[in-house]
Amino acid sequence: MLGEKRLKLRAAFFDSVRLFFKNKGFLEVDTPVRQPVVIPEANIVPIEADGEYLQASPELCMKRLLARGLTNIFQICPCFRKNEIGTLHMEEFRMLEWYRRGARYHALMDDCEQLLRAVDKDLTATGIGCGPGGDNFFAETDLDMPFLRITVAQAFDAYSRVPLEQAVREGSFDEVLVEDVEPKLGGGRPVFLYDYPVELGSLARRKDEEPHLVERFELYINGIELANGFTELTDEREQRTRFHDEIEAIKQGRNVTTALPERFLQDLEHLDSAAGIALGLDRLLMVAVNGRGLKEVVPFTPQDLT
């Protein structure tokens, strides 16, 4: 369990995040945590709750709000993913998601840079300090310089033991990314890894000039993935096809029945263009205080409850 000092720092951190988006004119929204259907994603196992599911992300509902006419929105909420347990993972965690209607993924990268600098400034101004390991937030990480931007293809060429095309073809992309590439990303300076193969972006828009890629990126500091964003796929037919592909992949790994989110697909027809991103707030706070695990920044760990 966290002590009073760290709890006050966590509260100041959440205040800073909210203030950042409100100052930029974003509307804070809230959506249901328990839902009858979830996004079909082969690499995420949802947690059941009385015949429905606890959200792994508020994405479906937030994009439905965009489709009904809202523009820039954000939300801070609990999310749940089964069997995600470890130093950097918990089955329940706090997510920040924000969306820009009429924008592309580069606008979200700019938001990330500005957000981290604002959080660093606000936390420093509290005078609380980040505790053991020093009082400087984001120690040994340069937030003043523009964040680096490297394509997935460039990263695999530089760090991977196998070519990108082979990793995608053999289904080992995630394994190679985690073992070979991620540890090399964001040391001393945050980096955006962008332009993923279309097979790795089921909800992301294809690049016009390179349709085998999607406009997706992830943000890394010190080898830790903090955020996943993309230009939204708004073509209902293509999204439906990709969901079917994900469902087939899910069936190969788990004996479950996965339904399509039909209400979401219907509303998608009314959304022309948008960009959205999910950022793990517990992880970001952990990185800000130079921590080594989520247990240093969450009020209760699962072990504290048993």
Side-chain angles (χ1 to χ4, degrees):
M1 294 173 59
L2 293 187
E4 181 179 359
K5 179 179 178 181
R6 189 53 65 88
L7 284 171
K8 288 182 177 179
L9 188 64
R10 182 178 171 91
F13 170 74
F14 279 85
D15 286 344
S16 175
V17 172
R18 281 193 166 91
L19 182 62
F20 173 83
F21 284 100
K22 290 182 178 181
N23 284 343
K24 291 178 75 70
F26 280 70
L27 174 67
E28 183 172 9
V29 300
D30 61 283
T31 56
V33 172
R34 191 168 68 102
Q35 302 178 17
V37 294
V38 294
I39 300 172
E41 294 181 283
N43 63 332
I44 294 178
V45 182
I47 295 178
E48 295 188 30
D50 195 23
E52 296 189 332
Y53 300 95
L54 298 177
Q55 66 179 3
S57 161
E59 182 171 356
L60 290 181
C61 288
M62 292 187 75
K63 286 199 281 192
R64 290 186 65 191
L65 292 177
L66 290 180
R68 298 303 174 94
L70 294 181
T71 53
N72 296 343
I73 59 176
F74 81 100
Q75 179 171 188
I76 296 173
C77 61
C79 291
F80 306 83
R81 298 180 183 182
K82 192 173 183 178
N83 300 327
E84 297 208 0
I85 301 171
T87 303
L88 300 177
H89 297 84
M90 288 187 178
E91 289 191 321
E92 178 181 349
F93 56 97
R94 290 300 178 273
M95 184 87 88
L96 162 68
E97 290 207 14
W98 73 92
Y99 291 82
R100 286 182 171 274
R101 186 166 183 166
R104 303 285 278 270
Y105 65 151
H106 290 293
L108 301 178
M109 297 185 201
D110 295 338
D111 286 340
C112 285
E113 294 198 33
Q114 297 167 20
L115 172 63
L116 266 61
R117 292 180 187 124
V119 166
D120 183 31
K121 179 180 178 181
D122 291 345
L123 291 182
T124 301
T126 65
I128 297 175
C130 63
D135 289 331
N136 294 324
F137 296 97
F138 295 100
E140 300 181 1
T141 299
D142 187 350
L143 298 180
D144 295 326
M145 293 286 290
F147 294 6
L148 294 173
R149 303 189 183 195
I150 179 174
T151 68
V152 172
Q154 290 169 337
F156 267 70
D157 286 344
Y159 308 125
S160 173
R161 62 183 181 271
V162 299
L164 172 60
E165 294 77 10
Q166 179 181 339
V168 172
R169 184 175 62 253
E170 296 177 350
S172 62
F173 177 91
D174 290 334
E175 176 186 349
V176 175
L177 179 70
V178 170
E179 294 181 359
D180 294 359
V181 180
E182 287 187 341
K184 306 295 196 306
L185 300 177
R189 189 172 168 188
V191 61
F192 295 112
L193 183 69
Y194 71 102
D195 285 0
Y196 280 67
V198 67
E199 295 87 349
L200 281 305
S202 66
L203 290 109
R205 183 185 190 275
R206 291 179 187 264
K207 290 177 67 69
D208 293 332
E209 65 279 14
E210 298 174 284
H212 63 289
L213 301 176
V214 290
E215 296 185 352
R216 175 191 172 192
F217 73 91
E218 292 187 320
L219 170 64
Y220 287 88
I221 293 180
N222 297 328
I224 298 172
E225 183 239 318
L226 297 173
N228 176 34
F230 40 84
T231 307
E232 302 291 345
L233 173 61
T234 57
D235 183 308
E236 183 269 338
R237 292 184 179 180
E238 183 172 358
Q239 185 63 83
R240 185 179 294 274
T241 297
R242 293 200 201 173
F243 277 163
H244 278 300
D245 292 341
E246 287 291 315
I247 290 173
E248 289 304 312
I250 291 171
K251 289 179 179 178
Q252 294 179 19
R254 306 194 299 271
N255 184 23
V256 296
T257 300
T258 302
L260 285 176
E262 290 291 348
R263 296 291 295 275
F264 164 76
L265 289 168
Q266 292 169 14
D267 282 347
L268 199 61
E269 296 181 355
H270 305 290
L271 182 59
D272 46 4
S273 63
I277 179 170
L279 187 151
L281 284 178
D282 299 318
R283 280 193 187 182
L284 178 58
L285 180 57
M286 182 199 75
V287 170
V289 301
N290 316 311
R292 297 184 178 180
L294 293 179
K295 66 180 181 180
E296 298 182 30
V297 296
V298 297
F300 289 85
T301 67
Q303 292 73 27
D304 293 325
L305 301 175
T306 57

